[in-house]
Amino acid sequence: MRKLFVLTYIVLSTVALEVCTAEPKSLPPVRELTSSETQDKRRITLRTDRIKEKSAPVLDGRVKSLGTGGLHKEAASAAEAKISDPAEGGVAGLSNDFCANAEAIDGIGPFFINSTSNTLDGPPACLNEGQTQIDRDEWFCWTAPQTACEGEYVVSTCGRTAVDTKIAVYPGCGCPPQPFIACSDDDCALQTNVPFLATPGAQYMIRVGVFPQSVGGSGSFTVTCRPPLPCDQPQSNCQTPTVSDALVSSRGTAVVADDFTPDASGNLTNLCWWGAYLDDDLGLDCQGLSPDSFVVKYYADNDGSPGSLLATFSQDENTLFVDGPVASGLFLPGDVAQYAYSANHAALPVLGGQCYWVEVSNGIPGCTWYWEVGINHNQRAFQNVEGGVTEGYDPAEAILDDLAFCTNLGLADSAVCLPPPPPNDNCVDATPLNLAGEVF
């Protein structure tokens, strides 16, 4: 995006005009954090290049990088051994590259994969983007627990690899497999969540591979029992979680707000969201350490930023009634458990087609709460690095993120939430520059 200037000068000396590249008008510059602010440990971020390292969580600029710091020590050691040793399925290829050599597994995992040198060994499966095959597949014969799952099982690579995975589940462990009972692709970015129902003690073949002609690589998957989740809003009302990252939204450290646009006028009465808990010093899930203390705030829009406060609902003050946390059975990078929430509050009237902002924060002593990011919407959110000590948000606190949440109203395109363009966005509106030596 360019800005246009008209320069007028009459001097008998050299004139220097310094031009700085402008940021796109829809995404204003993100403020750089000071060295002290980077200690606030804003994010959880997947770092597959650190899979062999068994270190504690580290900071990468303003990014909280977990690597395998959140994994159990035994799991991290197994990951290192499996990736580095060809006999254990390293770069030389996996023994379970063929259906007949399926690896017997049980429990929830993590189960490690490496499709770097794998071949294709299986029938066509579900259709996605014109492709039905699962390339570079690995085969696992999974035995379901004897205790029944009250919800459904989920095979997931979300947050566990950078590979473009595709997964199918088959009844029994025979080869060739019977027709698949579940199959999916691209559920959380390029990774996969496959829900299916299982009979206690029965065996199921899990086929993990990549989208056809995609490169292979290493990572892991889990098989977890997912109980019924508290949020029952349709997809059209949601910014779906990606199970790949999360932002600190703990009062006293930092709080986060994201925009939304209702597709019709109505009353907001329900909000769902997803998040995680982490003791940053120990790298452990600290959910349950103390009772949750959620606060939800709604703001009007002010030229692409949160403006005047419209309403505040508090769990402690009994104006916000929260169902959750419910462990979803999925994990963010570093084996950090994902939790789901649904909350009801008094009706807040909103207008269809207008931009609003919602802030969700928690306040638990000694435990940091992270609000999970959602699918790309308009990549505009705000993070108040003063932790809500000061009310509202400064335009300089814009960040390139979207958060995961649903409302009881449908969501429309949030282009109306982007800031207006600069006044000299067009040639006819060029800003005159009449003085030499000034910086513009």
Side-chain angles (χ1 to χ4, degrees), residues 86-364:
E88 294 293 330
V91 294
L94 292 170
S95 60
N96 60 342
D97 186 13
F98 300 98
C99 177
N101 297 331
E103 178 182 341
I105 60 173
D106 56 45
I108 66 172
F111 306 106
F112 298 97
I113 53 176
N114 191 336
S115 56
T116 303
S117 302
N118 281 21
T119 58
L120 171 63
D121 177 43
C126 52
L127 177 67
N128 184 45
E129 296 186 10
Q131 299 287 341
T132 58
Q133 260 302 355
I134 301 178
D135 207 355
R136 300 180 181 271
D137 45 12
E138 303 171 49
W139 299 82
F140 300 84
C141 179
W142 179 73
T143 302
Q146 293 294 337
T147 303
C149 173
E150 295 183 0
E152 57 187 1
Y153 285 99
V154 179
V155 182
S156 178
T157 57
C158 294
R160 295 185 165 274
T161 181
V163 176
D164 184 357
T165 56
K166 186 174 181 179
I167 299 175
V169 179
Y170 306 85
C173 288
C175 297
Q178 300 180 45
F180 65 83
I181 58 173
C183 179
S184 193
D185 185 20
D186 294 349
D187 301 290
C188 42
L190 297 178
Q191 286 70 56
T192 314
N193 278 330
V194 182
F196 69 103
L197 300 177
T199 302
Q203 291 186 320
Y204 298 85
M205 188 73 85
I206 299 175
R207 179 187 179 193
V208 182
V210 303
F211 185 79
Q213 301 181 12
S214 297
V215 297
S218 61
S220 66
F221 70 92
T222 56
V223 186
T224 53
C225 174
R226 181 169 67 186
L229 299 180
C231 188
D232 59 359
Q233 298 297 343
Q235 185 68 33
S236 59
N237 294 22
C238 300
Q239 289 184 183
T240 307
T242 63
V243 201
S244 63
D245 201 357
L247 294 172
V248 169
S249 196
S250 282
R251 295 188 300 280
T253 302
V255 293
V256 179
D258 197 10
D259 61 82
F260 68 97
T261 304
D263 63 1
S265 298
N267 291 321
L268 285 175
T269 59
N270 177 260
L271 184 74
C272 302
W273 64 90
W274 290 259
Y277 304 81
L278 192 68
D279 182 318
D280 288 309
D281 294 326
L282 300 178
L284 299 175
D285 184 344
C286 51
Q287 189 276 322
L289 179 66
S290 297
D292 284 317
S293 177
F294 280 106
V295 172
V296 170
K297 296 182 179 182
Y298 293 97
Y299 296 87
D301 180 63
N302 180 25
D303 288 338
S305 302
S308 58
L309 180 66
L310 298 177
T312 299
F313 301 104
S314 168
Q315 190 173 13
D316 291 345
E317 297 176 2
N318 294 320
T319 56
L320 183 71
F321 304 96
V322 181
D323 183 7
V326 176
S328 69
L330 303 179
F331 295 86
L332 279 75
D335 270 1
V336 178
Q338 179 201 68
Y339 293 90
Y341 313 81
S342 179
N344 294 321
H345 54 68
L348 175 65
V350 293
L351 299 177
Q354 289 201 11
C355 178
Y356 297 90
W357 295 80
V358 59
E359 171 190 303
V360 179
S361 66
N362 203 351
I364 305 177

Side-chain angles (χ1 to χ4, degrees), residues 36-52:
S36 61
E37 288 173 332
T38 59
Q39 300 304 311
D40 286 341
K41 306 179 182 179
R42 304 271 169 253
R43 282 176 186 266
I44 301 170
T45 297
L46 177 65
R47 282 278 301 280
T48 54
D49 60 309
R50 289 177 46 81
I51 191 67
K52 292 186 181 181

